[in-house]
Amino acid sequence: MGRTVVVLGGGISGLAASYHLSRAPCPPKVVLVEGSERLGGWIRSVRGPNGAIFELGPRGIRPAGALGARTLLLVSELGLDSEVLPVRGDHPAAQNRFLYVGGALHALPTGLRGLLRPSPPFSKPLFWAGLRELTKPRGKEPDETVHSFAQRRLGPEVASLAMDSLCRGVFAGNSRELSIRSCFPSLFQAEQTHRSVLLGLLLGAGRTPQPDSALIRQALAERWSQWSLRGGLEMLPQALETHLTSRGVSVLRGQPVCGLSLQAEGRWKVSLRDSSLEADHVISAIPASVLSELLPAEAAPLARALSAITAVSVAVVNLQYQGAHLPVQGFGHLVPSSEDPGVLGIVYDSVAFPEQDGSPPGLRVTVMLGGSWLQTLEASGCVLSQELFQQRAQEAAATQLGLKELPSHCLVHLHKAKNLFKWQQSHDRTVE
């Protein structure tokens, strides 16, 4: 009899795992189990009344490196090449990113000329921070916070403005808590290998072999910074589901897992709400805190390690304005915690993907809310209403981008704490 593999979770990780299992030379029987009625996890695209596309989760995928190339290969294998919307290297959304500091937007410097000039909100040209970095000795700690690492190597301004904002924008986390080794492994490894982050990034770790396809070659030639799909990123999990069912993968929706137990013969019993499955192997693509509650008693040490991985919440607010214009053109801007404890940043969706603006087209932006403001609200038991998040987002769009009129369309989606992991110091040892 062939092996049976049960994959827990129908987000992009579970779908990708099922996809590669189904395409193995001797594929096992694969059963994908999803607790909700939809697949895709965080990836969710909604079409507005005028046909505009709003992303409630991620809105673009980076093509860089071997991982980016393999994702583009997956897109081609699923027949989605014609649906790809690229952001080429010469596009404003690829070249321009901003920080909102002191009540104003500041373009982040790019290129050698930008590094040599004074660039507010930084008091000195970033060239001096780079020079400082080249002369610093290698760190001796096995791990440290992102803030500590950046302050030690690049100085207090880069740490408190740039890295603080980056951690909020990427992880919705606090740079004074997050692990440099887990969150930015390339920076950590560059210092360990070459003593200097800049030298390490310049010299690199050698070229990683990557697949080849017409789409991958196009992305390299045009220097794509990111890409999306014409109907929204949810086209990707939808295409994966269609492909999986065509290859005989069983997809169970609306079947939350209630428990896992190891049988005497070494097989797993996966208990569902109304039934159970038996499997030779189980692949988990569900949050660590959820998995910790499903494990059997003999896996208590693993359950404890998983439950120690903390998480944060993020509210995503999509806004569309008719007849409005942005003061700048770029990908978006980030906001350091010293400027606003609740607004993580704003993405200028219409700049990167105007094809998704609908008809008549309207300006689309997405406001990300989280940080200490949201953590305080959650801890106090405050009602986290859509009206609260919408008002906060509209105030941020008005103050930071001058969008003072009422939006023609608004969507609010709260990603609860179990979803976005908070990679604190020693997270890598927890994973090991």
Side-chain angles (χ1 to χ4, degrees), residues 28-240:
K29 178 184 177 183
V30 181
V31 183
L32 175 64
V33 181
E34 166 58 38
S36 71
E37 293 295 340
R38 62 174 293 274
L39 300 179
W42 299 353
I43 300 177
R44 190 169 183 181
S45 309
V46 174
R47 191 174 291 273
N50 68 335
I53 302 296
F54 299 96
E55 300 285 9
L56 306 188
R59 60 218 51 248
I61 296 178
R62 296 181 65 233
L67 292 176
R70 284 202 286 271
T71 308
L72 286 173
L73 183 63
L74 170 67
V75 166
S76 296
E77 290 169 347
L78 293 172
L80 292 174
D81 289 48
S82 62
E83 302 296 332
V84 172
L85 297 177
V87 177
R88 297 173 176 84
D90 58 356
H91 193 279
Q95 296 187 334
N96 303 331
R97 282 167 169 75
F98 302 87
L99 285 180
Y100 183 79
V101 179
L105 290 171
H106 302 279
L108 287 171
T110 58
L112 183 60
R113 182 177 296 179
L115 296 176
L116 292 172
R117 291 176 173 174
S119 302
F122 305 103
S123 59
K124 298 177 182 178
L126 289 182
F127 168 80
W128 296 109
L131 196 62
R132 167 198 173 107
E133 201 280 327
L134 288 170
T135 62
K136 285 290 176 181
R138 180 189 288 110
K140 298 178 181 179
E141 296 298 321
D143 196 7
E144 63 185 307
T145 67
V146 174
H147 180 86
S148 168
F149 180 90
Q151 181 167 261
R152 178 170 58 81
R153 298 216 62 89
L154 295 163
E157 273 195 341
V158 173
S160 61
L161 293 177
M163 294 307 289
D164 173 276
S165 302
L166 187 61
C167 285
R168 282 159 59 81
V170 176
F171 301 102
N174 185 342
S175 64
R176 296 174 185 270
E177 298 175 355
L178 294 177
S179 154
I180 187 68
R181 186 170 183 169
S182 297
C183 294
F184 300 101
S186 61
L187 302 186
F188 176 83
Q189 202 54 49
E191 184 192 38
Q192 294 300 307
T193 307
H194 299 283
R195 186 192 56 77
S196 160
V197 170
L198 294 182
L199 280 178
L201 294 179
L202 285 171
L203 297 173
R207 183 173 173 81
T208 306
Q210 63 184 46
D212 180 55
S213 73
L215 196 62
I216 293 169
R217 290 194 295 273
Q218 182 185 352
L220 286 170
E222 297 175 352
R223 298 181 297 111
W224 293 4
S225 67
Q226 62 171 317
W227 57 268
S228 185
L229 296 168
R230 197 167 302 277
L233 276 187
E234 196 169 353
M235 291 184 73
L236 182 57
Q238 289 168 348
L240 278 166

Side-chain angles (χ1 to χ4, degrees), residues 287-301:
S289 59
V290 177
L291 178 62
S292 70
E293 297 172 359
L294 301 176
L295 293 170
E298 55 265 41

Side-chain angles (χ1 to χ4, degrees), residues 300-313:
L302 174 59
R304 283 195 295 272
L306 289 169
S307 64
I309 300 176
T310 54
V312 294
S313 298

